[in-house]
Amino acid sequence: MSAILIIVAAIVLLVLGYIFYGSWLAKQWGIDPSRKTPAVEVDDGVDYVVAKPAVLMGHHYSSIAGAGPINGPVQASVFGWLPVFLWCVIGGIFFGGLQDFGSMFASVRHGGKSLGEVIADTMGTKAKKLFLIFALLVLILVIASFVNVVAGTFASENTGITTNPTGNETTAMVSVIFIILAIVYGIFTNRVGVKTAPATVVGIILIALTLVFALNYGLALSRTTWIILIGAYIVVASLVPVWILLQPRDYLSSYLLYAMMIVALFGIIFSAFAGTANFQLPAVTGWNTSVGTLFPALFITVACGACSGFHSLIATGTTSKQLDNESHLKPIGYGSMLIESALAIIALIAVGMVFDKYTAGEFGSPAVAFSSGIATMFGAETTTVYGVVYALLTLAVSVFALTSLDTGTRLSRFMFSELFLKEGEATWKDAKGIRKFLAFPLTGTLFMVIVGCILGGLSLSAIWGLFGAANQLLAGIALMAVAAWLGNIGKNNKMFFIPMIFMLIATLTSLIITIVKKIKLVAAASAA
């Protein structure tokens, strides 16, 4: 099957899922546009800040995407394109979209609070505490994974400002300037009063000029230095008001993601009609592969491209605090997941174009394989157009990984504080003694970032394996929590049963397989 048919089939199915299944879910749960959202009621200027739908869509989509829908499908491509295609489409519509939409809706109806509050409402305080501990462990892995990805796409053997920069040095320069542009954009749109549309046009032009500049002048630092700088950045980004950095950065970065997807789609179409497409990936390669058996490894490895527990944390941690109307729950909560599934299919096609090189180990990471696969559609590696496309795609991947880091660290701050607050205590200021210190925003932020950055120094494959299993278990728990809450308030929750049970079984099966392997290794070592 050709690449162009794969992407067309995916888009058609995902659009149909959004129109019919997404609308049915909204009707079943009773989405109410006349009801005030937490952002409107609280509006504290720091975390609860009303955002325009397009801005919030940019924040949510950029945050849930990160490098996940690229890393996962590329690694899972060893099973063949058909299993990955089916899981991304079916999983996106009936598993991931359901979880994201349902979690965000539940949070909005709980005052914009985290999924822990939803669990406390249905299962009690002890269950909430256990969930928060587990969620924080997952967030440590999120921070570690994306610190690893970003540092890897920035790292260089040189030091300082360079001419004739490498792809990594170009990406680093653009990303740093991009942060400055986002802060300026946030100030102009939120404090000076500049309208969103003209500010967006200017922002996009400046991003393009920045890319041109960075193709000539790069920023070179070692991987270790970048890990330290990234850690310092996400500490600050998680503490400042959302309108200063989080909202504008995620909004502007979403245009990079849209541009990346448009470039990829154009490349697929161009290479197909030009006769230069070389889709090397077979439909099915077999049950056993280098990443494990088809079940459960496929459903653990793909992660964000089909269903991700991390999404539920974002939906209930930052997005629900910025929603201005419940009518926007479906496009932001459900629609973003389906767009991410489409990106996962694009990543699958990209690695299919360079699959022989990927399996031969010629790429340092899935992100590099993705960028190379798309760039190959436009020309040979020695051409200028290849270099420009490759740089754009590498930049997009690193920007979205940074976005997930921003949001993930902010979520860590919320949940770490929440873990040490007693019932009736709204903020860290209400706590007493050691609990007040532990609930203080900077305490939790520093702890999570330091641990995450230390783990970020490990290999990506080691971190991603842990993240995938923990993330999918979190998805099963999130589905269960929302289903229990909907049942308690008398709403239809039957659509959650199969996804919830499946995700829990897949994750627990993966855990059992891992334990058995470790026992065999210990036994073999003892026998020797």
Side-chain angles (χ1 to χ4, degrees), residues 154-180:
F154 286 3
S156 172
E157 295 180 358
N158 302 311
T159 301
I161 306 299
T162 61
T163 55
N164 298 319
T166 64
N168 282 20
E169 292 163 1
T170 292
T171 302
M173 177 64 83
V174 176
S175 298
V176 170
I177 298 176
F178 189 87
I179 292 170
I180 298 170

Side-chain angles (χ1 to χ4, degrees), residues 131-145:
F131 170 79
L132 289 175
I133 292 170
F134 180 66
L136 286 169
L137 292 174
V138 173
L139 286 171
I140 285 176
L141 293 175
V142 168
I143 293 171
S145 297

Side-chain angles (χ1 to χ4, degrees), residues 172-481:
M173 177 64 83
V174 176
S175 298
V176 170
I177 298 176
F178 189 87
I179 292 170
I180 298 170
L181 290 178
I183 294 172
V184 173
Y185 178 93
I187 293 171
F188 271 83
T189 55
N190 289 287
R191 289 298 179 265
V192 179
V194 177
K195 298 294 183 182
T196 301
T200 301
V201 172
V202 173
I204 293 173
I205 292 172
L206 290 175
I207 291 171
L209 292 175
T210 299
L211 180 59
V212 173
F213 173 78
L215 287 170
N216 294 283
Y217 299 95
L219 180 58
L221 294 169
S222 68
R223 184 173 181 273
T224 301
T225 302
W226 276 120
I227 289 176
I228 294 170
L229 291 176
I230 292 165
Y233 162 73
I234 59 179
V235 167
V236 175
S238 70
L239 294 171
V240 299
V242 292
W243 64 266
I244 292 178
L245 185 57
L246 191 72
Q247 280 183 357
R249 188 183 183 285
D250 294 356
Y251 173 62
L252 289 176
S253 68
S254 68
Y255 283 93
L256 270 177
L257 185 49
Y258 302 145
M260 179 179 75
M261 294 181 70
I262 291 171
V263 167
L265 287 171
F266 180 78
I268 293 169
I269 295 169
F270 172 79
S271 60
F273 283 97
T276 58
N278 183 24
F279 189 66
Q280 306 161 2
L281 186 59
V284 179
T285 61
W287 183 264
N288 294 298
T289 69
S290 58
V291 300
T293 56
L294 183 65
F295 181 86
L298 171 69
F299 309 98
I300 302 300
T301 306
V302 170
C304 301
C307 184
S308 167
F310 177 56
H311 293 190
S312 68
L313 300 184
I314 293 172
T316 64
T318 56
T319 308
S320 63
K321 294 178 175 63
Q322 301 173 63
L323 190 79
D324 71 333
N325 193 289
E326 284 195 6
S327 64
H328 301 139
L329 279 166
K330 177 190 166 188
I332 295 173
Y334 191 71
S336 292
M337 177 63 242
L338 300 193
I339 298 175
E340 186 170 357
S341 292
L343 176 57
I345 298 297
I346 290 173
L348 176 68
I349 293 171
V351 73
M353 295 295 181
V354 290
F355 191 64
D356 291 343
K357 290 183 178 179
Y358 175 69
T359 53
E362 292 189 23
F363 303 112
S365 70
V368 174
F370 168 78
S371 299
S372 179
I374 298 297
T376 299
M377 300 177 192
F378 292 88
E381 291 185 25
T382 55
T383 60
T384 302
V385 67
Y386 177 97
V388 172
V389 172
Y390 181 88
L392 174 64
L393 296 173
T394 306
L395 165 66
V397 173
S398 67
V399 165
F400 300 121
L402 266 177
T403 299
S404 292
L405 275 171
D406 293 353
T407 308
T409 309
R410 200 175 195 95
L411 295 175
S412 300
R413 171 167 67 82
F414 294 150
M415 291 187 174
F416 201 92
S417 293
E418 196 175 329
L419 184 63
F420 298 101
L421 296 177
K422 291 184 177 180
E423 190 172 351
E425 294 176 342
T427 69
W428 66 274
K429 296 178 182 179
D430 301 321
K432 304 295 182 183
I434 187 64
R435 290 191 302 104
K436 187 169 187 175
F437 169 75
L438 293 172
F440 183 61
L442 185 59
T443 303
T445 302
L446 287 175
F447 174 81
M448 296 293 290
V449 170
I450 291 171
V451 176
C453 286
I454 291 172
L455 290 176
L458 302 176
S459 68
L460 179 61
S461 59
I463 303 170
W464 195 260
L466 289 171
F467 167 70
N471 186 47
Q472 300 309 70
L473 180 56
L474 180 61
I477 294 171
L479 289 164
M480 180 170 58

Side-chain angles (χ1 to χ4, degrees), residues 35-166:
R35 187 179 179 126
K36 284 188 177 181
T37 63
V40 174
E41 289 185 326
V42 178
D43 195 10
D44 63 3
V46 179
D47 297 314
Y48 288 82
V49 178
V50 174
K52 291 181 174 64
V55 174
L56 188 56
M57 180 76 171
H59 157 69
H60 185 72
Y61 182 38
S62 298
S63 297
I64 65 171
I70 293 171
N71 280 336
V74 169
Q75 292 187 58
S77 64
V78 294
F79 290 109
W81 69 260
L82 184 59
V84 180
F85 172 88
L86 291 175
W87 175 231
C88 286
V89 173
I90 296 172
I93 294 171
F94 297 106
F95 288 66
L98 174 71
Q99 178 211 228
D100 296 12
F101 190 8
S103 298
M104 194 182 299
F105 175 57
S107 177
V108 168
R109 291 294 177 90
H110 281 79
K113 299 293 179 62
S114 73
L115 196 59
E117 289 298 325
V118 180
I119 290 175
D121 190 25
T122 55
M123 305 177 197
T125 305
K126 289 184 179 179
K128 169 191 168 181
K129 296 291 185 183
L130 289 173
F131 170 79
L132 289 175
I133 292 170
F134 180 66
L136 286 169
L137 292 174
V138 173
L139 286 171
I140 285 176
L141 293 175
V142 168
I143 293 171
S145 297
F146 293 133
V147 161
N148 190 301
V149 170
V150 176
T153 56
F154 286 3
S156 172
E157 295 180 358
N158 302 311
T159 301
I161 306 299
T162 61
T163 55
N164 298 319
T166 64

